Amino acid sequence: MAKRIEASGISAYYGAFKAIEDINMVIEPKSVTALIGPSGCGKSTFLRSINRMHEVLPGARVEGKLTLDSQDLYGRDVDVTAVRRLIGMVFQRPNPFPTMSIYDNVVSGLRLNGVRRKSMLDTACEKALRSANLWNEVHTRLSRPGAGLSGGQQQRLCIARAIAVEPQVVLMDEPCSALDPISTLAIEDLISELKNQYTIVIVTHNMQQAARVSDRTAFFSIDKTGDPGRLIEYDETNKIFTNPSVKRTEDYITGRFG
Amino acid sequence: MTAAVANALEARRLPRWAPAATAVAAAALAYVVFALGGVLGGGPVLTVVGAVVFFLAGLALASGIVEGSRAARNRIATALIYSAFTLALLPLVSVVFTLVSKGTARLDAEFFGHSMRNIGPQDNSGGAYHAIIGTLEQVAIATLITVPLGTGGAIYIVEYGRGRLALAIRFFVDVMTGIPSIVAGLFILAFWVLIVSPHLSPDGLPFYSGFAASLALSVLMLPTITRSSEEMLRLVPVALREGAYALGIAKWKTIMRIVLPTALPGIVTGVMLAVARAAGETAPVLLVAGGGAGINFSPFHGLQNSLSIFIYDQAGSASKYAPARAWTAALTLVALVLTLTIAAKLLSRRNKLR
Ligand SMILES: Nc1ncnc2c1ncn2[C@@H]1O[C@H](COP(=O)(O)OP(=O)(O)OP(=O)(O)O)[C@@H](O)[C@H]1O
Ligand SMILES: [Mg+2]
């Protein structure tokens, strides 16, 4: 199910402003890749260009080549909704659909893409909620509003919603930054389980989290404000955190980054 | 020592009954000075105004002496806000009171079962059945026309509109909001009744119809609905749209199934405001539907009455029985709008989750 992502020469713009420049990296299947770096260096921008969410903003565009198992994601005839079904996304703030119940939230991706059979939806709902470690907490109140859960539960609901459509890649943009340590641990455990099935890319500001959950880590940075962000170093997480080959990476990780 | 620290947070307060006592004292003083004493000419209005002024002054004085100036200002502000609220509520209460007290005289089965056909100035009977039918049909058709157009236009402006065209549409919607209702009526009279309707009738002559009234009401309702729906759609967080896009849900489906349901209660409120306004319009309906005393179920041909025209006719009639009919019709109109509003609110809340 998981697939390899290859980015070559990716640059992304907001209107005339170039937010990231010439990113080249290969994201391995069935692994967790962490994106770290100072604020504004373009981690979210790069992440959003992987599932073509970047271009949703007016004036935003992406240059370069991005492939999923050698299928071009930015080809001329590519259907963006198909790309986004293969590459799911979890946002920084939980965003359950407020008019929908827990059940409807989880199956929304399937239902709004044409799946009607109740039995199929039921199975998918339970499977996704179990994978997101939420089933035990909510299975007695599936018809209650999704917005009525706690923040950590809402975030796991959003993860369940993202994996219910059985994507091959799951992108997560600081999924734990609005959560308490216990919910964070729950989600980190979840990520470690999910990587058996999915390719996972996670943006985080938490070094320990990157070290704990990821197999490979990419360090992004900018020279000064207004400059585009670049990929500085990309390697095994172990190597990045113990013996980085670039001085800037080491400075950032040890907290000497200005 | 600790007791002193705890007490430092406490301050002297007026007793709870102080404002009420001040109010009673102020009222009594005003009564003596203005109503009995006739100072400045006296009169009931001056008495009430004087009572309020005495109350504010007395409360400020008492509070200023006992509690200090900050608390006194707080009390004055509170009192002013309550007075403003009461003042705003007064007309509403008095309208409802007048409607109910005068409208119940003819609140009978005859009123809701009969028209004004063959009712002379000497007859105490007659009813607004034909007018109620007219109002219901005209407003219903206007709503059917404007709700899809208005919400569709709002969706275009918010979700798809980029650049000049969207700006131009927004501008025209704003301009349309300011069209006086009589102008809308004249426009439909000139355009629909005089130019289009002759082509629709077998004899080639122009004709009045309830449908023409619906068109005139649509002209008035459309900008209100578009504008309020637009505001409501803008309030839907971008994060919800992005959440749906990230699931591979197409844009139009995101709008229909995520954005619209989220904005629905607000859109319904906007629609109901437009409906309430349209139901009370008189001039444009009179111009293009013509009124008439008989029952006409067909909105598409012939004279049709409406509650607002009925009220206008009866209020201006020389018959001594007409005013009672006008009041009952007014009460009916208000009750109708209120019922519709409540029903719409309940409906839009029903699909909200428990
Ligand atoms: N919607 C936008 N319009 C214009 N510029 C934007 C927009 N979003 C981001 N940017 C700019 O693009 C650059 C990269 O932003 P991005 O959000 O990718 O950074 P980030 O690495 O995710 O930062 P953070 O860690 O704070 O989330 C920043 O300079 C930012 O100001
Ligand atoms: Mg970010």
CSV table of all heavy atoms in Angstrom, one decimal, chain A residues 96-146:
chain,number,residue,atom,x,y,z
A,96,PRO,N,-12.5,18.6,12.7
A,96,PRO,CA,-13.7,17.7,12.4
A,96,PRO,C,-14.8,18.6,11.8
A,96,PRO,O,-14.9,19.7,12.1
A,96,PRO,CB,-14.1,17.1,13.7
A,96,PRO,CG,-13.6,18.1,14.7
A,96,PRO,CD,-12.3,18.7,14.1
A,97,PHE,N,-15.6,17.9,10.9
A,97,PHE,CA,-16.7,18.7,10.3
A,97,PHE,C,-17.8,18.9,11.3
A,97,PHE,O,-18.3,17.9,11.9
A,97,PHE,CB,-17.2,17.9,9.1
A,97,PHE,CG,-16.2,17.7,8.0
A,97,PHE,CD1,-16.0,16.4,7.5
A,97,PHE,CD2,-15.4,18.7,7.6
A,97,PHE,CE1,-15.1,16.2,6.5
A,97,PHE,CE2,-14.4,18.5,6.6
A,97,PHE,CZ,-14.3,17.3,6.1
A,98,PRO,N,-18.1,20.1,11.6
A,98,PRO,CA,-19.0,20.4,12.8
A,98,PRO,C,-20.4,19.9,12.6
A,98,PRO,O,-21.1,19.7,13.6
A,98,PRO,CB,-18.9,21.9,12.9
A,98,PRO,CG,-18.5,22.4,11.6
A,98,PRO,CD,-17.7,21.4,11.0
A,99,THR,N,-20.9,19.8,11.4
A,99,THR,CA,-22.3,19.4,11.3
A,99,THR,C,-22.4,17.8,11.3
A,99,THR,O,-23.5,17.3,11.1
A,99,THR,CB,-22.9,19.9,10.0
A,99,THR,OG1,-22.1,19.5,8.9
A,99,THR,CG2,-23.0,21.4,10.0
A,100,MET,N,-21.3,17.1,11.4
A,100,MET,CA,-21.3,15.7,11.2
A,100,MET,C,-21.1,15.0,12.5
A,100,MET,O,-20.3,15.5,13.4
A,100,MET,CB,-20.3,15.2,10.2
A,100,MET,CG,-20.6,15.7,8.8
A,100,MET,SD,-19.4,14.9,7.7
A,100,MET,CE,-19.8,15.7,6.2
A,101,SER,N,-21.7,13.8,12.7
A,101,SER,CA,-21.4,12.9,13.8
A,101,SER,C,-20.0,12.3,13.7
A,101,SER,O,-19.3,12.5,12.7
A,101,SER,CB,-22.4,11.8,13.9
A,101,SER,OG,-22.3,11.0,12.8
A,102,ILE,N,-19.6,11.6,14.8
A,102,ILE,CA,-18.3,11.0,14.7
A,102,ILE,C,-18.2,10.0,13.6
A,102,ILE,O,-17.3,10.0,12.7
A,102,ILE,CB,-18.1,10.2,16.1
A,102,ILE,CG1,-17.9,11.2,17.2
A,102,ILE,CG2,-16.8,9.3,16.0
A,102,ILE,CD1,-17.8,10.6,18.6
A,103,TYR,N,-19.3,9.2,13.4
A,103,TYR,CA,-19.4,8.2,12.4
A,103,TYR,C,-19.3,8.9,11.0
A,103,TYR,O,-18.5,8.5,10.1
A,103,TYR,CB,-20.7,7.5,12.5
A,103,TYR,CG,-20.9,6.4,11.4
A,103,TYR,CD1,-20.5,5.1,11.6
A,103,TYR,CD2,-21.6,6.8,10.2
A,103,TYR,CE1,-20.8,4.2,10.6
A,103,TYR,CE2,-21.8,5.9,9.2
A,103,TYR,CZ,-21.4,4.6,9.4
A,103,TYR,OH,-21.6,3.6,8.4
A,104,ASP,N,-20.1,9.9,10.8
A,104,ASP,CA,-20.1,10.6,9.5
A,104,ASP,C,-18.8,11.3,9.2
A,104,ASP,O,-18.3,11.3,8.1
A,104,ASP,CB,-21.2,11.7,9.5
A,104,ASP,CG,-22.6,11.1,9.5
A,104,ASP,OD1,-22.7,9.9,9.1
A,104,ASP,OD2,-23.6,11.8,9.9
A,105,ASN,N,-18.1,11.8,10.2
A,105,ASN,CA,-16.8,12.4,10.0
A,105,ASN,C,-15.8,11.3,9.5
A,105,ASN,O,-15.1,11.6,8.5
A,105,ASN,CB,-16.2,12.9,11.3
A,105,ASN,CG,-16.4,14.4,11.4
A,105,ASN,OD1,-15.7,15.2,10.8
A,105,ASN,ND2,-17.3,14.9,12.3
A,106,VAL,N,-15.8,10.1,10.1
A,106,VAL,CA,-14.9,9.1,9.7
A,106,VAL,C,-15.1,8.7,8.3
A,106,VAL,O,-14.2,8.5,7.5
A,106,VAL,CB,-14.9,7.9,10.7
A,106,VAL,CG1,-13.9,6.8,10.2
A,106,VAL,CG2,-14.5,8.4,12.1
A,107,VAL,N,-16.4,8.5,7.9
A,107,VAL,CA,-16.7,7.9,6.6
A,107,VAL,C,-16.9,9.0,5.6
A,107,VAL,O,-17.2,8.7,4.4
A,107,VAL,CB,-17.9,7.0,6.6
A,107,VAL,CG1,-17.7,5.8,7.5
A,107,VAL,CG2,-19.2,7.8,7.0
A,108,SER,N,-16.7,10.3,6.0
A,108,SER,CA,-17.0,11.4,5.0
A,108,SER,C,-16.2,11.2,3.7
A,108,SER,O,-16.8,11.4,2.6
A,108,SER,CB,-16.7,12.7,5.6
A,108,SER,OG,-15.4,12.8,6.1
A,109,GLY,N,-14.9,10.9,3.8
A,109,GLY,CA,-14.1,10.7,2.6
A,109,GLY,C,-14.7,9.7,1.7
A,109,GLY,O,-14.7,9.9,0.5
A,110,LEU,N,-15.1,8.5,2.2
A,110,LEU,CA,-15.7,7.5,1.4
A,110,LEU,C,-17.0,7.9,0.8
A,110,LEU,O,-17.3,7.8,-0.4
A,110,LEU,CB,-15.8,6.2,2.2
A,110,LEU,CG,-14.5,5.5,2.7
A,110,LEU,CD1,-14.8,4.5,3.7
A,110,LEU,CD2,-13.8,5.0,1.5
A,111,ARG,N,-17.9,8.4,1.7
A,111,ARG,CA,-19.2,8.7,1.3
A,111,ARG,C,-19.3,9.8,0.3
A,111,ARG,O,-20.0,9.6,-0.7
A,111,ARG,CB,-20.0,9.1,2.6
A,111,ARG,CG,-21.5,9.2,2.3
A,111,ARG,CD,-22.2,9.6,3.5
A,111,ARG,NE,-22.7,8.5,4.3
A,111,ARG,CZ,-23.1,8.6,5.6
A,111,ARG,NH1,-23.0,9.8,6.2
A,111,ARG,NH2,-23.6,7.6,6.2
A,112,LEU,N,-18.5,10.8,0.5
A,112,LEU,CA,-18.5,11.9,-0.5
A,112,LEU,C,-17.8,11.5,-1.8
A,112,LEU,O,-17.8,12.3,-2.8
A,112,LEU,CB,-18.0,13.2,0.1
A,112,LEU,CG,-18.8,13.7,1.3
A,112,LEU,CD1,-18.4,15.1,1.7
A,112,LEU,CD2,-20.3,13.7,1.0
A,113,ASN,N,-17.1,10.4,-1.8
A,113,ASN,CA,-16.5,9.9,-3.0
A,113,ASN,C,-17.3,8.8,-3.6
A,113,ASN,O,-16.8,8.0,-4.4
A,113,ASN,CB,-15.0,9.5,-2.8
A,113,ASN,CG,-14.2,10.8,-2.7
A,113,ASN,OD1,-14.3,11.7,-3.5
A,113,ASN,ND2,-13.3,10.8,-1.8
A,114,GLY,N,-18.6,8.6,-3.2
A,114,GLY,CA,-19.5,7.7,-3.9
A,114,GLY,C,-19.7,6.4,-3.2
A,114,GLY,O,-20.5,5.6,-3.8
A,115,VAL,N,-19.1,6.1,-2.1
A,115,VAL,CA,-19.4,4.8,-1.4
A,115,VAL,C,-20.8,4.9,-0.7
A,115,VAL,O,-20.9,5.8,0.1
A,115,VAL,CB,-18.3,4.4,-0.5
A,115,VAL,CG1,-18.7,3.1,0.2
A,115,VAL,CG2,-17.0,4.3,-1.2
A,116,ARG,N,-21.7,4.0,-1.1
A,116,ARG,CA,-23.1,4.2,-0.5
A,116,ARG,C,-23.4,3.0,0.5
A,116,ARG,O,-24.2,3.2,1.4
A,116,ARG,CB,-24.1,4.2,-1.6
A,116,ARG,CG,-24.2,5.4,-2.4
A,116,ARG,CD,-25.2,6.4,-1.9
A,116,ARG,NE,-25.1,7.6,-2.6
A,116,ARG,CZ,-24.2,8.5,-2.6
A,116,ARG,NH1,-23.2,8.3,-1.8
A,116,ARG,NH2,-24.2,9.6,-3.3
A,117,ARG,N,-22.8,1.8,0.2
A,117,ARG,CA,-23.2,0.7,1.0
A,117,ARG,C,-22.9,0.8,2.5
A,117,ARG,O,-21.8,1.0,2.9
A,117,ARG,CB,-22.4,-0.6,0.5
A,117,ARG,CG,-23.0,-1.1,-0.8
A,117,ARG,CD,-23.6,-2.5,-0.6
A,117,ARG,NE,-22.7,-3.4,0.0
A,117,ARG,CZ,-21.7,-4.0,-0.6
A,117,ARG,NH1,-21.4,-3.8,-1.8
A,117,ARG,NH2,-20.9,-4.9,0.1
A,118,LYS,N,-24.0,0.7,3.3
A,118,LYS,CA,-23.9,0.9,4.7
A,118,LYS,C,-22.9,-0.1,5.3
A,118,LYS,O,-22.1,0.3,6.2
A,118,LYS,CB,-25.3,0.7,5.3
A,118,LYS,CG,-25.4,0.8,6.8
A,118,LYS,CD,-25.8,2.3,7.2
A,118,LYS,CE,-26.1,2.4,8.7
A,118,LYS,NZ,-24.9,2.4,9.5
A,119,SER,N,-22.9,-1.4,4.9
A,119,SER,CA,-22.1,-2.4,5.5
A,119,SER,C,-20.6,-2.0,5.3
A,119,SER,O,-19.8,-2.1,6.2
A,119,SER,CB,-22.4,-3.7,4.9
A,119,SER,OG,-22.2,-3.7,3.5
A,120,MET,N,-20.3,-1.5,4.1
A,120,MET,CA,-18.9,-1.1,3.8
A,120,MET,C,-18.5,0.1,4.6
A,120,MET,O,-17.4,0.1,5.2
A,120,MET,CB,-18.8,-0.7,2.3
A,120,MET,CG,-18.3,-1.8,1.4
A,120,MET,SD,-18.2,-1.2,-0.3
A,120,MET,CE,-16.6,-0.5,-0.3
A,121,LEU,N,-19.4,1.0,4.8
A,121,LEU,CA,-19.1,2.2,5.6
A,121,LEU,C,-18.9,1.8,7.0
A,121,LEU,O,-17.9,2.3,7.7
A,121,LEU,CB,-20.2,3.3,5.5
A,121,LEU,CG,-20.4,3.9,4.1
A,121,LEU,CD1,-21.5,4.9,4.1
A,121,LEU,CD2,-19.1,4.6,3.6
A,122,ASP,N,-19.7,0.9,7.5
A,122,ASP,CA,-19.6,0.5,8.9
A,122,ASP,C,-18.2,-0.2,9.2
A,122,ASP,O,-17.5,0.1,10.1
A,122,ASP,CB,-20.7,-0.5,9.3
A,122,ASP,CG,-22.1,0.2,9.4
A,122,ASP,OD1,-22.1,1.4,9.5
A,122,ASP,OD2,-23.1,-0.5,9.5
A,123,THR,N,-17.9,-1.1,8.3
A,123,THR,CA,-16.6,-1.8,8.4
A,123,THR,C,-15.4,-0.8,8.4
A,123,THR,O,-14.5,-0.8,9.2
A,123,THR,CB,-16.4,-2.8,7.3
A,123,THR,OG1,-17.7,-3.3,6.9
A,123,THR,CG2,-15.5,-3.9,7.7
A,124,ALA,N,-15.5,0.1,7.4
A,124,ALA,CA,-14.4,1.1,7.2
A,124,ALA,C,-14.3,2.0,8.5
A,124,ALA,O,-13.2,2.3,8.9
A,124,ALA,CB,-14.6,1.9,6.0
A,125,CYS,N,-15.5,2.4,9.0
A,125,CYS,CA,-15.5,3.3,10.2
A,125,CYS,C,-14.8,2.6,11.4
A,125,CYS,O,-13.9,3.1,12.0
A,125,CYS,CB,-16.9,3.6,10.5
A,125,CYS,SG,-17.1,4.6,12.0
A,126,GLU,N,-15.2,1.3,11.6
A,126,GLU,CA,-14.6,0.6,12.8
A,126,GLU,C,-13.1,0.4,12.6
A,126,GLU,O,-12.3,0.7,13.5
A,126,GLU,CB,-15.3,-0.7,13.0
A,126,GLU,CG,-14.7,-1.5,14.1
A,126,GLU,CD,-15.5,-2.7,14.6
A,126,GLU,OE1,-16.7,-2.8,14.1
A,126,GLU,OE2,-15.0,-3.5,15.4
A,127,LYS,N,-12.7,0.0,11.4
A,127,LYS,CA,-11.3,-0.2,11.1
A,127,LYS,C,-10.5,1.0,11.3
A,127,LYS,O,-9.5,1.0,12.0
A,127,LYS,CB,-11.2,-0.7,9.6
A,127,LYS,CG,-9.8,-1.2,9.3
A,127,LYS,CD,-9.8,-2.0,8.0
A,127,LYS,CE,-8.4,-2.1,7.4
A,127,LYS,NZ,-8.2,-1.7,6.1
A,128,ALA,N,-11.0,2.2,10.7
A,128,ALA,CA,-10.2,3.4,10.8
A,128,ALA,C,-10.1,3.8,12.3
A,128,ALA,O,-9.1,4.3,12.8
A,128,ALA,CB,-10.9,4.5,10.0
A,129,LEU,N,-11.3,3.7,13.0
A,129,LEU,CA,-11.2,4.2,14.4
A,129,LEU,C,-10.3,3.3,15.3
A,129,LEU,O,-9.6,3.8,16.2
A,129,LEU,CB,-12.7,4.2,15.0
A,129,LEU,CG,-13.5,5.4,14.6
A,129,LEU,CD1,-14.9,5.2,15.1
A,129,LEU,CD2,-12.9,6.7,15.1
A,130,ARG,N,-10.3,2.0,14.9
A,130,ARG,CA,-9.4,1.1,15.7
A,130,ARG,C,-8.0,1.4,15.4
A,130,ARG,O,-7.1,1.5,16.3
A,130,ARG,CB,-9.7,-0.4,15.3
A,130,ARG,CG,-10.9,-1.0,16.0
A,130,ARG,CD,-10.9,-2.5,15.9
A,130,ARG,NE,-12.2,-3.0,16.3
A,130,ARG,CZ,-12.6,-3.2,17.6
A,130,ARG,NH1,-11.7,-2.9,18.5
A,130,ARG,NH2,-13.8,-3.7,17.9
A,131,SER,N,-7.7,1.7,14.1
A,131,SER,CA,-6.3,2.0,13.7
A,131,SER,C,-5.9,3.3,14.4
A,131,SER,O,-4.7,3.5,14.7
A,131,SER,CB,-6.1,2.2,12.2
A,131,SER,OG,-6.8,1.2,11.6
A,132,ALA,N,-6.8,4.2,14.6
A,132,ALA,CA,-6.5,5.5,15.2
A,132,ALA,C,-6.6,5.5,16.7
A,132,ALA,O,-6.5,6.5,17.4
A,132,ALA,CB,-7.4,6.6,14.7
A,133,ASN,N,-6.7,4.2,17.3
A,133,ASN,CA,-6.8,4.0,18.7
A,133,ASN,C,-7.9,4.9,19.4
A,133,ASN,O,-7.7,5.4,20.5
A,133,ASN,CB,-5.5,4.4,19.4
A,133,ASN,CG,-4.4,3.4,19.1
A,133,ASN,OD1,-4.7,2.2,18.9
A,133,ASN,ND2,-3.2,3.8,19.1
A,134,LEU,N,-9.0,5.0,18.7
A,134,LEU,CA,-10.1,5.8,19.2
A,134,LEU,C,-11.4,5.0,19.4
A,134,LEU,O,-12.3,5.4,20.1
A,134,LEU,CB,-10.4,7.0,18.2
A,134,LEU,CG,-11.3,8.1,18.7
A,134,LEU,CD1,-10.6,8.8,19.9
A,134,LEU,CD2,-11.5,9.1,17.6
A,135,TRP,N,-11.4,3.8,18.9
A,135,TRP,CA,-12.6,3.0,18.9
A,135,TRP,C,-13.1,2.8,20.3
A,135,TRP,O,-14.3,3.0,20.5
A,135,TRP,CB,-12.3,1.6,18.2
A,135,TRP,CG,-13.5,0.7,18.2
A,135,TRP,CD1,-13.6,-0.4,19.0
A,135,TRP,CD2,-14.7,0.8,17.4
A,135,TRP,NE1,-14.8,-1.0,18.8
A,135,TRP,CE2,-15.5,-0.3,17.8
A,135,TRP,CE3,-15.1,1.7,16.5
A,135,TRP,CZ2,-16.7,-0.5,17.2
A,135,TRP,CZ3,-16.4,1.4,15.9
A,135,TRP,CH2,-17.2,0.4,16.3
A,136,ASN,N,-12.2,2.4,21.2
A,136,ASN,CA,-12.7,2.1,22.6
A,136,ASN,C,-13.3,3.3,23.2
A,136,ASN,O,-14.3,3.1,24.0
A,136,ASN,CB,-11.5,1.6,23.4
A,136,ASN,CG,-11.1,0.2,23.0
A,136,ASN,OD1,-11.9,-0.5,22.4
A,136,ASN,ND2,-9.8,-0.2,23.2
A,137,GLU,N,-12.8,4.5,22.9
A,137,GLU,CA,-13.4,5.6,23.6
A,137,GLU,C,-14.7,6.1,23.0
A,137,GLU,O,-15.5,6.7,23.7
A,137,GLU,CB,-12.4,6.8,23.5
A,137,GLU,CG,-11.2,6.6,24.4
A,137,GLU,CD,-10.0,7.4,23.9
A,137,GLU,OE1,-9.9,8.6,24.1
A,137,GLU,OE2,-9.0,6.7,23.4
A,138,VAL,N,-14.9,5.8,21.7
A,138,VAL,CA,-16.1,6.4,21.1
A,138,VAL,C,-17.2,5.5,20.5
A,138,VAL,O,-18.2,5.9,20.1
A,138,VAL,CB,-15.7,7.4,19.9
A,138,VAL,CG1,-14.8,8.5,20.4
A,138,VAL,CG2,-15.1,6.6,18.8
A,139,HIS,N,-16.9,4.1,20.6
A,139,HIS,CA,-17.8,3.3,19.8
A,139,HIS,C,-19.2,3.2,20.4
A,139,HIS,O,-20.1,2.9,19.7
A,139,HIS,CB,-17.2,1.8,19.8
A,139,HIS,CG,-17.3,1.1,21.1
A,139,HIS,ND1,-18.2,0.2,21.4
A,139,HIS,CD2,-16.5,1.2,22.2
A,139,HIS,CE1,-18.0,-0.3,22.6
A,139,HIS,NE2,-17.0,0.3,23.1
A,140,THR,N,-19.4,3.7,21.6
A,140,THR,CA,-20.8,3.8,22.1
A,140,THR,C,-21.5,5.0,21.7
A,140,THR,O,-22.7,5.2,22.0
A,140,THR,CB,-20.8,3.7,23.7
A,140,THR,OG1,-19.9,4.7,24.2
A,140,THR,CG2,-20.3,2.4,24.2
A,141,ARG,N,-20.8,6.0,21.2
A,141,ARG,CA,-21.5,7.3,20.9
A,141,ARG,C,-21.1,7.8,19.5
A,141,ARG,O,-20.7,8.9,19.3
A,141,ARG,CB,-21.1,8.3,21.9
A,141,ARG,CG,-19.6,8.3,22.3
A,141,ARG,CD,-19.3,9.5,23.2
A,141,ARG,NE,-17.9,9.4,23.6
A,141,ARG,CZ,-17.3,10.4,24.1
A,141,ARG,NH1,-17.8,11.6,24.1
A,141,ARG,NH2,-16.0,10.3,24.5
A,142,LEU,N,-21.2,6.8,18.5
A,142,LEU,CA,-20.8,7.2,17.1
A,142,LEU,C,-21.7,8.3,16.5
A,142,LEU,O,-21.3,8.9,15.6
A,142,LEU,CB,-20.8,6.0,16.3
A,142,LEU,CG,-19.7,5.0,16.6
A,142,LEU,CD1,-19.8,3.7,15.7
A,142,LEU,CD2,-18.3,5.6,16.4
A,143,SER,N,-22.9,8.4,17.0
A,143,SER,CA,-23.8,9.3,16.4
A,143,SER,C,-23.7,10.7,17.1
A,143,SER,O,-24.5,11.6,16.8
A,143,SER,CB,-25.3,8.8,16.5
A,143,SER,OG,-25.6,8.7,17.9
A,144,ARG,N,-22.8,10.9,18.0
A,144,ARG,CA,-22.7,12.2,18.7
A,144,ARG,C,-21.8,13.0,17.8
A,144,ARG,O,-21.0,12.5,17.0
A,144,ARG,CB,-22.0,12.0,20.1
A,144,ARG,CG,-22.7,11.0,20.9
A,144,ARG,CD,-23.8,11.5,21.7
A,144,ARG,NE,-23.3,12.6,22.6
A,144,ARG,CZ,-24.1,13.4,23.3
A,144,ARG,NH1,-25.4,13.2,23.3
A,144,ARG,NH2,-23.6,14.3,24.1
A,145,PRO,N,-21.9,14.4,18.0
A,145,PRO,CA,-21.1,15.3,17.2
A,145,PRO,C,-19.6,15.1,17.4
A,145,PRO,O,-19.1,14.9,18.5
A,145,PRO,CB,-21.5,16.7,17.6
A,145,PRO,CG,-22.3,16.5,18.8
A,145,PRO,CD,-22.8,15.1,18.9
A,146,GLY,N,-18.8,15.1,16.2
A,146,GLY,CA,-17.4,15.0,16.3
A,146,GLY,C,-16.7,16.1,17.0
A,146,GLY,O,-15.7,16.0,17.7
